[in-house]
Amino acid sequence: MSDGLDVIIIDDDPAASEAIADIVNRFYTWGDVYVFTDDEEARIYCLNRDTSIAIFIVDVFLKDKSGFLFLDSIAGKYEAVYEDTIIITGHSNNDVVDMCVAAGINHLLEKPIRIHALQLAVRSIAAKYLRLADRLMNSTVFHRDYFKIADAVGGRD
């Protein structure tokens, strides 16, 4: 396991998952890329990781389950799992879009995946963490104010 922000890809189609991993590996440098074709294996891996932050790329349909059920199964550990997920589908329709909106998922891509669309979606999620980490590490004013607000709203234990 890397010390970075990893990308976890779950798609029951081995060719699709490897193609997505190949695309991500071309540009992604902030962590490792893990590929799963079995959602139960992915669930066990995710729940046993040391960290609770990752970027997820999940197919909307995983054999006999939905990708949303997979996300629900790990949401107890990954508080931001829905906002850190890119859902992929062979064909989006109103039901898929509605499920994404209801879950708080902001990234939906149709297969075949367009390289630039995937890159921008992954970078969008990664940028949120990279900017926050940079501000916390390099700005004493931001650091002080961030934790002051977190304490005030009960965001720190």
Side-chain angles (χ1 to χ4, degrees), residues 46-134:
C46 290
L47 293 176
N48 288 313
R49 293 179 77 224
D50 292 336
T51 182
S52 63
I53 300 173
I55 297 172
F56 296 91
I57 301 173
V58 181
D59 192 6
V60 73
F61 297 112
L62 300 169
K63 290 184 181 141
D64 58 343
K65 296 181 192 170
S66 82
F68 295 99
L69 287 175
F70 167 77
L71 296 172
D72 292 345
S73 75
I74 63 169
K77 179 172 183 175
Y78 296 85
E79 292 181 25
V81 69
Y82 303 106
E83 64 190 67
D84 293 346
T85 294
I86 301 162
I87 289 288
I88 55 174
T89 183
H91 175 73
S92 64
N93 57 36
N94 287 341
D95 291 337
V96 173
V97 172
D98 290 345
M99 287 187 291
C100 286
V101 170
I105 295 170
N106 296 315
H107 303 282
L108 173 65
L109 300 177
E110 283 187 318
K111 296 176 187 174
I113 303 288
R114 293 181 178 229
I115 294 170
H116 65 275
L118 180 60
Q119 182 175 2
L120 290 173
V122 170
R123 289 180 58 87
S124 168
I125 296 167
K128 155 180 88 168
Y129 290 107
L130 297 172
R131 281 192 309 268
L132 177 61
D134 181 58

Side-chain angles (χ1 to χ4, degrees), residues 29-46:
T29 60
W30 300 289
D32 293 330
V33 177
Y34 296 92
V35 179
F36 296 92
T37 56
D38 180 280
D39 61 285
E40 182 60 19
E41 182 182 337
R43 185 185 72 77
I44 292 167
Y45 171 78
C46 290

